Amino acid sequence: MASVMQKVAGQARRTFRLSSLDQGFKENLRGLMSTLEDLSVSDLNLKPRNTGNTVPHSSHNGGAPVTYMHIWEDEYFTMGIFLLKHGCRIPLHDHPGMHGLIRILYGNLRVRCYDKVDSSNTKVRGGILRSRHTQNLIPGKFATEQILNSESGVFQLGSNERNYHDIVAVDGPAAFLDILGPPYDPDGGRDCTYYRELEGVSLEDKEKTPAATPVVESTDSDVRWLQPIPQPRDFWCDYEEYPGPKVGAEW
């Protein structure tokens, strides 16, 4: 009898071998999310770690802030488990042209997301950013900020909706199963980029901005300006072997 994880992998493959524009994609995606709803830590032989520990993590004595357990990857999707120590984060980043599904296994995660915005329809004019570096800015529309746990169901990240996001473990360590379809592929134009949100100024302070300072403003109050940055120094992963049932090409 196939394990729950094998059923998840099989449904993920059926889903992501289709284009999001193909007939049947949405139905298969709903089926995948439904299968993930039934998943628990026991299905992965994973034991919650130090769930009551709210001592801030230190890289000097606590190792990597995030641990990754690889489960499966092929041309259609990748699947693995992220384990975050208390207060640690996966910084603001994107999934270009990809869909993501997050299933919280234990703990609490704060997830903050932005939608992709068509920059050709975003008016840029004098006014709101405190920055001299306005080149290569990416407009992102604030979508949501939520606290998620194992009772929250499956959290979906679309190829446009919620595509820019960061994830923080709050009130103790946390872990989640992560599925991406298709996988990252730098040669195929699907590389991971990290961002920071640029700090704005109020319209009342607009007149105080020095004339020589380049500034940009969106006409939509929910649009934030994101600046690509190198991978933050306080974020890196170590790796552990996945302890759960084997997933194989038994579709």
Side-chain angles (χ1 to χ4, degrees), residues 3-5 38-48 105-106 242-245:
S3 69
V4 174
M5 285 304 296
D38 297 329
L39 193 68
S40 69
V41 290
S42 62
D43 294 314
L44 298 100
N45 297 334
L46 186 68
K47 295 182 179 180
L105 300 173
Y106 64 82
Y242 162 62

Side-chain angles (χ1 to χ4, degrees), residues 132-137 227-228:
R132 294 181 179 273
H133 307 288
T134 58
Q135 294 181 347
N136 302 320
L137 296 185
Q227 185 176 50

Side-chain angles (χ1 to χ4, degrees), residues 151-171:
E151 302 299 319
S152 300
V154 181
F155 190 76
Q156 183 178 357
L157 305 167
S159 56
N160 291 304
E161 297 79 15
R162 303 177 177 180
N163 196 269
Y164 307 109
H165 54 281
D166 65 10
I167 301 171
V168 182
V170 296
D171 301 324

Side-chain angles (χ1 to χ4, degrees), residues 102-109 148-150 152-153 174-177:
I102 292 175
R103 177 68 168 93
I104 313 300
L105 300 173
Y106 64 82
N108 299 296
L109 294 174
L148 306 176
N149 57 38
S150 61
S152 300
F176 66 93
L177 180 75

Side-chain angles (χ1 to χ4, degrees), residues 90-160:
I90 299 176
L92 185 62
H93 65 287
D94 62 358
H95 295 157
M98 302 153 66
H99 291 263
L101 297 174
I102 292 175
R103 177 68 168 93
I104 313 300
L105 300 173
Y106 64 82
N108 299 296
L109 294 174
R110 189 208 73 195
V111 181
R112 180 179 53 168
C113 303
Y114 304 84
D115 294 342
K116 284 194 169 183
V117 175
D118 184 353
S119 57
S120 65
N121 291 329
T122 302
K123 295 181 180 179
V124 178
R125 53 191 173 84
I128 133 172
L129 288 180
R130 266 197 202 109
S131 176
R132 294 181 179 273
H133 307 288
T134 58
Q135 294 181 347
N136 302 320
L137 296 185
I138 307 295
K141 187 171 184 178
F142 179 75
T144 187
E145 182 171 339
Q146 299 182 33
I147 301 295
L148 306 176
N149 57 38
S150 61
E151 302 299 319
S152 300
V154 181
F155 190 76
Q156 183 178 357
L157 305 167
S159 56
N160 291 304

Side-chain angles (χ1 to χ4, degrees), residues 188-204:
R190 297 192 303 274
D191 200 1
C192 180
T193 301
Y194 295 94
Y195 300 89
R196 69 183 179 100
E197 181 183 334
L198 294 187
E199 183 181 0
V201 298
S202 68
L203 293 179
E204 289 77 10

